[in-house]
Amino acid sequence: MPSRAPNGASRERSVETIQGEMAAFARRARGVAARMHPELSLVSFTILAHLDATKGCRATDLATEFTLDKSTVSRQITALEQLGFVERRAEPADQRVQLLRPTPSGSAVLAAATAARREAFRTRLQDWDEDDLERFAAYLVRYNETSGQNETSEQQETSDQAGQR
C-alpha cells in the first residue's frame, strides 16, 4: 500500500493527536509504576531495569543514557539503595570506580513488575488482531529508532556549539 503524505492541516491534527496520546500513555505508565511498587517511581523503575539489562554500570553512564542531571540520578540511586534494590561495587579493573548493580531483591521486584506490565498489555490488546499488533509494534520500534537518531544529532549539535565558544 503506497504511503501518502497528509496535507498540512491533516498532518498537524495527526501530530497533535499523537502528542496527546503519548502524554496520556506517559501518565498511565507513571500510575501503573506507582501501583506496582508505591516507593518505586517510573524513573527509578527505568533505572533499575537498565541496571538489570546491563548487569551494572556507573551513575555517570545512567545520566548519559537517560539524559538526566547527575544530581537527579544520584537521588534516584539513593532511593533505590535505601529500598535495598541497588548496591554499589568497586569495578574490578579500577577500584576507584563504583558500579551500580541490582540486588537480588531489586531483580525480583523488577521481574514481578515486568510480568505484571506484560499481563496488563496482553489484557489491553487482547481484542487486537495479529496484523494490528505487528504494525503497532513496528511503528513503535520505528518511532523510538527515529527518536534515538534525532537525540544523538541534537546532542552532537549541542556539543559542537559548545566547542565553538
Side-chain angles (χ1 to χ4, degrees):
M1 170 153 107
S3 68
R4 65 174 183 83
N7 66 33
S10 176
R11 184 175 190 85
E12 189 59 30
R13 277 192 307 276
S14 294
V15 168
E16 286 176 20
T17 298
I18 291 166
Q19 185 276 325
E21 293 303 315
M22 295 293 277
F25 178 84
R27 280 191 307 275
R28 270 193 314 279
R30 283 190 298 273
V32 167
R35 282 191 307 277
M36 293 197 186
H37 199 287
E39 298 151 323
L40 194 61
S41 72
L42 183 59
V43 174
S44 293
F45 176 85
T46 305
I47 287 172
L48 187 58
H50 182 76
L51 291 174
D52 191 66
T54 61
K55 307 300 180 221
C57 66
R58 300 172 304 161
T60 54
D61 298 330
L62 289 170
T64 300
E65 174 70 22
F66 295 107
T67 323
L68 294 171
D69 186 77
K70 289 177 187 175
S71 64
T72 301
V73 170
S74 179
R75 282 190 302 275
Q76 297 295 326
I77 293 303
T78 297
L80 287 167
E81 285 177 311
Q82 289 172 347
L83 290 167
F85 296 159
V86 168
E87 64 185 1
R88 294 176 191 264
R89 290 190 187 166
E91 182 176 346
D94 184 349
Q95 296 293 309
R96 298 170 297 171
V97 176
Q98 294 289 307
L99 294 179
L100 302 163
R101 290 194 170 98
T103 63
S105 179
S107 293
V109 155
L110 182 63
T114 299
R117 290 173 74 195
R118 282 199 181 122
E119 186 55 36
F121 277 113
R122 281 186 197 98
T123 299
R124 177 166 278 190
L125 300 170
Q126 69 186 352
D127 294 335
W128 289 37
D129 69 37
E130 204 65 34
D131 290 339
D132 285 345
L133 283 173
E134 286 180 20
R135 273 193 299 277
F136 186 52
Y139 289 149
L140 286 172
V141 167
R142 180 178 170 192
Y143 175 79
N144 285 322
E145 285 175 349
T146 303
S147 295
Q149 293 165 358
N150 290 342
E151 289 166 9
T152 301
S153 297
E154 291 167 7
Q155 288 170 351
Q156 183 60 45
E157 288 174 21
T158 302
S159 176
D160 291 347
Q161 290 169 356
Q164 294 173 0
R165 291 181 193 155

